[in-house]
Amino acid sequence: MDLAALRQEYMRAGLHEKDLEADPLAQFGNWFEEAMRSGIALPNAMTLATATKRGRPSARAVLLKGFDERGFVFYTHYRSRKGRELEENPQAMLLFCWEELERQVGIEGRASRVSAAESDEYFASRPLGSRLSAIVSPQSERVTNREALEILLEQAAKRWREAPPRPEHWGGYRLAPERFEFWQGRKDRLHDRLCYRKAAGGWKIERLAP
């Protein structure tokens, strides 16, 4: 397999300062709507990068479940690897990669837990199986085998039936953005990279070399 020969030319669009929204959240909203309309599977899928206090990184795909002027929300097990790392070091990064549109968006900031009421509301909206799995799964911990998890799930289903409560170990985080980077693929790898950085009273837009 010749990986060096795997190439793709980027020809779809460009990204110019004059076309950007002054507010990066509005710019993200525009791109997210385009991703939704494009038919991309799971346009809300994003890579969440975290790190320990000593800087050892880890990353995984999670789903965006809401965004507004306060930040970007996702849900997880608080005692999972990402949950433990966010407690040690709340600085994190989200990365959206919409390959079909030849676009990426990186968002850096500080993550904190959402309120219990907000977590309760979202938990109640999840499919029953997902709620039961959140109760029984010791996420990121070693388990004997799959059958052991399936037994726990069956026991939880019998106990809670249609109304499992949100476990205390499960809930949401909100990443409050401090930096955005919008990336648009361009011909000859001369990509467009436009960055928003927080400045006094607003956001400063800078172009970065590809």
Side-chain angles (χ1 to χ4, degrees):
M1 184 182 297
D2 184 6
L3 296 182
L6 294 177
R7 293 189 177 87
Q8 174 182 322
E9 192 60 89
Y10 299 98
M11 302 291 288
R12 290 183 61 94
L15 184 60
H16 304 281
E17 286 87 342
K18 65 182 178 61
D19 298 323
L20 288 178
E21 300 281 356
D23 182 350
L25 188 65
Q27 181 64 36
F28 177 84
N30 291 343
W31 273 24
F32 190 77
E33 286 183 12
E34 290 184 43
M36 291 277 287
R37 291 196 302 267
S38 74
I40 293 173
L42 293 177
N44 61 328
M46 57 189 183
T47 299
L48 166 65
T50 59
T52 65
K53 188 181 297 185
R54 294 187 176 184
R56 186 180 183 89
S58 64
R60 74 290 291 157
V62 297
L63 297 177
L64 177 69
K65 289 300 179 178
F67 68 94
D68 57 24
E69 66 280 355
R70 296 172 297 167
F72 294 76
V73 177
F74 58 92
Y75 291 85
T76 189
H77 193 303
Y78 288 141
R79 296 197 291 270
S80 65
R81 180 175 180 179
K82 55 186 171 296
R84 295 194 303 267
E85 290 180 359
L86 287 171
E87 293 303 312
E88 284 186 30
N89 177 6
Q91 294 297 325
M93 181 174 182
L94 307 175
L95 179 67
F96 295 84
C97 183
W98 297 313
E99 181 182 352
E100 294 86 343
L101 299 177
E102 300 174 354
R103 287 176 172 172
Q104 295 183 66
V105 182
I107 305 167
E108 299 171 40
R110 186 180 182 89
S112 58
R113 293 187 187 186
V114 305
S115 69
E118 194 170 346
S119 290
D120 287 342
E121 182 179 4
Y122 174 69
F123 187 80
S125 75
R126 304 183 86 208
L128 177 60
S130 297
R131 284 178 279 157
L132 292 170
S133 291
I135 290 174
V136 304
S137 174
Q139 194 175 114
S140 300
E141 298 299 324
R142 184 179 300 170
V143 295
T144 305
N145 50 44
R146 180 174 179 83
E147 287 71 24
L149 290 174
E150 291 174 343
I151 290 171
L152 290 174
L153 186 65
E154 183 178 350
Q155 292 172 343
K158 290 178 179 178
R159 177 181 180 184
W160 300 110
R161 299 185 182 276
E162 299 295 320
R166 178 180 68 87
E168 292 184 1
H169 62 246
W170 192 97
Y173 285 95
R174 177 176 286 106
L175 184 139
E178 300 168 356
R179 181 184 184 277
F180 289 77
E181 183 179 320
F182 293 85
W183 181 98
Q184 178 72 62
R186 294 297 296 272
K187 183 181 179 181
D188 298 325
R189 300 298 192 269
L190 203 63
H191 309 306
D192 289 321
R193 294 175 61 192
L194 292 172
C195 172
Y196 291 76
R197 297 181 187 274
K198 270 197 168 180
W203 295 86
K204 180 179 181 181
I205 300 174
E206 302 170 324
R207 177 173 286 271
L208 305 178

